[in-house]
Amino acid sequence: MVERPETPFLPRQVSIDGYSDRFFHFAGMSHAGSITALPSGVRPWRPERFADLGADDLAVIVAEGGAVELLLIGTGRDPAHLKEPLKQVLRDAGIRFELMPTPAAASTYNVLLDEGRRVGAALIAV
């Protein structure tokens, strides 16, 4: 059994209601800093900037197993590229992924979640 690195704020998947400078809003709550929104729930996420992202930060996502078909990675304000070792971690777990600025990732996540897709989001705060 894989341990989940952070206790979820909310132990279910919900849409992202909005975001503001350094904050995400969801289910009547808000959080300063980055988050993951996964089938197991919404939880804080360590990276403050995309450049801080490491393989250990992907553990909570990989722990979801087959529950996530597509992961949307919000890169902050600007587009970015994932380093090959991090891509391989996700590929080895069978997780497809798309990178885009966080506002676009949050919006796309909401649309796909509303469609009933097995989607997750890892969002760097803007």
Side-chain angles (χ1 to χ4, degrees):
M1 182 171 108
V2 176
E3 275 189 51
R4 304 218 186 269
E6 293 284 343
T7 301
F9 288 124
L10 191 64
R12 61 186 168 86
Q13 193 165 29
V14 296
S15 62
I16 305 301
D17 298 328
Y19 59 89
S20 56
D21 192 29
R22 304 280 318 142
F23 282 87
F24 287 98
H25 308 278
F26 52 91
M29 304 170 71
S30 65
H31 171 69
S34 302
I35 62 169
T36 59
L38 302 167
S40 63
V42 179
R43 58 181 41 88
W45 199 39
R46 185 201 63 83
E48 293 182 16
R49 299 171 309 133
F50 186 76
D52 298 336
L53 182 60
D56 289 346
D57 298 311
L58 300 177
V60 67
I61 298 156
V62 170
E64 295 287 311
V68 175
E69 176 184 38
L70 175 64
L71 176 69
L72 299 167
I73 302 173
T75 59
R77 291 194 190 282
D78 301 314
H81 297 283
L82 200 57
K83 294 176 185 169
E84 190 57 41
L86 300 179
K87 288 180 183 180
Q88 197 58 50
V89 168
L90 294 172
R91 286 181 188 132
D92 288 349
I95 299 171
R96 293 182 333 183
F97 54 92
E98 294 288 332
L99 281 76
M100 58 191 76
T102 294
S107 295
T108 303
Y109 165 81
N110 285 343
V111 169
L112 295 176
L113 185 64
D114 285 346
E115 291 177 354
R117 302 276 302 274
R118 294 182 307 150
V119 64
L123 305 170
I124 303 288
V126 293

